[in-house]
Amino acid sequence: MKKLLNTLFVTQPNVYLSLDGDNIVLLKEDERLGRVPLHNLESVVSFGYTGASPALMGYCAERNISLQFFTMNGRFLARVIGESKGNVILRKRQYRVSDDEAASAKIARNFIIGKIYNNKWIIERMTRDYPLRIDVAQFKNISKQLSAILKDIRECEDLDRLRGLEGQAAINYNRLFDQFILQQKEDFYFHYRNRRPPVDNVNAMLSFAYTLLANDMSSALEGVGLDAYVGFLHRDRPGRASLALDVMEELRGVYADRFVLSLINKKVVNKEDFHKKENGAVIMKDEARKKFVAAWQNKKQEKITHPYLGEKISWGLVPHAQALLLARYLRDDIDEYPPFLWK
């Protein structure tokens, strides 16, 4: 159980939610796990849904407290709300900002700042931890280039130029990626980013990790009432969760890339976990996918301190925290969207 930004997150499985006076009570097999006053809450987010009492649902609906239900894997199931109030206003604001390229650029700029800042941190950490196993001069040079790009991005107000700067930074970062791989070098290597289909083991893992992260981000955005398919950096395209792709930019390197690298460097995966098809596409075998997803779920339980909120939360709640912050920005509760800047 964790209270964050007036939202109660119930992360333990098999917890039943009930009402006692003006309080929500958490029950597990007749054991009372906690009791929290409802008057300061805006929403309740429950993972591993067991049930909620009709009395609690009615109480929350009358007071515009949303109840959100997710699977333990983070997939969005449902949201229970009362009369349409805040979510309608929030989504209309989201659509207006998305249609305004200048306003979109202001938010998109922070997504990209978060991504490049975090990638620069990854580079600096590799330089500190493995100076004898990498080309330190090359790492320092690219870190310096990323700093220069960050400076340009902070002053940029044009979406197309932002995309160009982000692409330039990604090319520089990818030049170093193969050196991030410290083990199993014969079987795991990175020459360039390829997809649809991936043609090597590393790209197959990256594509799968990005898919899992995009799904987690989409669920978090839906949970706060935002439309995951209407973005600011990624423009509208049928069937694409553009806003999820926007917000996950700042988490790609520090969350997904580092996760993939840890599986390789700790030898959790090996060459036997992959199959190469006749057309050159590399796919993960079923057992490898199960192993990958299990490790992903374990990663989501690891605790970190959120750099903006200063609260200790699990990695799995980071997408939810960023979705809440984005919703607050769109409601004008805060002056600027704060990207996830990992330290």
Side-chain angles (χ1 to χ4, degrees):
M1 182 173 67
K2 178 70 179 178
K3 186 177 177 183
L4 188 69
L5 293 173
N6 293 333
T7 297
L8 178 67
F9 291 92
V10 182
T11 56
Q12 290 180 270
N14 304 320
V15 172
Y16 184 80
L17 310 178
S18 66
L19 182 69
D20 182 8
D22 293 322
N23 304 285
I24 181 172
V25 177
L26 282 60
L27 301 171
K28 185 173 184 178
E29 297 178 355
D30 297 326
E31 177 187 356
R32 180 174 289 194
L33 300 181
R35 174 188 174 97
V36 179
L38 282 161
H39 62 272
N40 287 326
L41 294 181
E42 294 177 357
S43 60
V44 177
V45 179
S46 178
F47 294 86
Y49 170 65
T50 294
S53 71
L56 176 65
M57 290 185 181
Y59 182 99
C60 290
E62 287 179 1
R63 290 157 180 80
N64 204 31
I65 301 171
S66 69
L67 284 169
Q68 303 160 34
F69 301 106
F70 296 78
T71 67
M72 284 304 297
N73 291 336
R75 182 172 61 85
F76 177 75
L77 292 174
R79 181 174 60 250
V80 179
I81 57 174
E83 291 183 61
S84 296
K85 296 176 183 177
N87 286 337
V88 169
I89 296 171
L90 176 62
R91 289 206 177 197
K92 287 182 73 174
R93 169 68 173 162
Q94 177 189 357
Y95 300 149
R96 285 196 297 269
V97 172
S98 179
D99 287 337
D100 184 334
E101 289 209 359
S104 291
K106 184 178 179 182
I107 305 177
R109 181 171 58 199
N110 284 10
F111 297 146
I112 298 172
I113 285 173
K115 177 180 183 178
I116 298 175
Y117 176 95
N118 290 333
N119 288 354
K120 177 178 164 62
W121 175 85
I122 294 170
I123 291 169
E124 291 293 339
R125 182 164 181 170
M126 286 292 296
T127 305
R128 182 196 70 193
D129 293 346
Y130 304 101
L132 301 180
R133 305 187 66 177
I134 62 172
D135 185 337
V136 173
Q138 184 186 20
F139 271 60
K140 288 293 186 182
N141 181 50
I142 288 184
S143 178
K144 187 176 180 180
Q145 291 180 45
L146 293 186
S147 294
I149 293 171
L150 276 172
K151 184 177 179 181
D152 289 340
I153 287 173
R154 289 190 180 99
E155 300 170 357
C156 183
E157 298 180 354
D158 179 78
L159 272 178
D160 287 335
R161 176 158 167 71
L162 279 173
R163 295 187 187 102
L165 290 168
E166 186 275 333
Q168 182 182 341
I171 290 171
N172 287 331
Y173 170 76
N174 286 340
R175 284 177 182 153
L176 301 179
F177 201 92
D178 191 60
Q179 294 187 61
F180 296 161
I181 302 169
L182 303 175
Q183 301 289 337
Q184 308 185 83
K185 297 287 286 184
E186 290 186 5
D187 302 311
F188 293 90
Y189 48 81
F190 183 92
H191 299 318
Y192 61 93
R193 178 77 179 113
N194 56 74
R195 50 185 181 163
R196 301 193 189 101
V199 295
D200 59 65
N201 297 345
V202 175
N203 274 290
M205 294 177 71
L206 288 173
S207 291
F208 192 35
Y210 295 155
T211 297
L212 294 176
L213 182 56
N215 290 339
D216 288 346
M217 198 72 248
S218 293
S219 292
L221 293 166
E222 291 289 342
V224 300
L226 288 165
D227 189 334
Y229 288 82
V230 178
F232 307 117
L233 175 64
H234 295 82
R235 308 312 285 173
D236 296 349
R237 182 185 297 175
R240 181 172 76 176
S242 296
L243 186 58
L245 296 178
D246 282 358
V247 187
M248 69 175 269
E249 287 292 347
E250 57 208 69
L251 299 177
R252 279 182 186 268
V254 76
Y255 195 159
D257 291 359
R258 290 181 68 234
F259 172 76
V260 167
L261 289 165
S262 71
L263 294 187
I264 297 170
N265 291 332
K266 293 179 180 179
K267 299 183 179 180
V268 176
V269 295
N270 57 60
K271 65 179 181 180
E272 304 301 327
D273 289 320
F274 300 85
H275 171 69
K276 192 160 190 173
K277 301 174 71 174
E278 291 182 0
N279 64 355
V282 173
I283 60 173
M284 297 178 67
K285 296 179 180 177
D286 288 343
E287 286 303 313
R289 284 178 177 269
K290 292 177 184 177
K291 186 163 52 175
F292 193 104
V293 171
W296 182 265
Q297 291 305 116
N298 289 334
K299 170 72 176 177
K300 287 163 69 171
Q301 303 306 314
E302 292 179 11
K303 299 291 184 180
I304 62 163
T305 299
H306 192 282
Y308 176 78
L309 300 172
E311 295 268 0
K312 185 159 280 193
I313 63 174
S314 65
W315 266 114
L317 290 185
V318 171
H320 295 268
Q322 295 308 117
L324 284 166
L325 289 169
L326 180 57
R328 289 200 162 200
Y329 168 72
L330 291 172
R331 290 192 181 106
D332 293 321
D333 292 338
I334 53 179
D335 294 332
E336 190 173 9
Y337 168 73
F340 183 83
L341 304 178
W342 181 235
K343 300 175 183 178

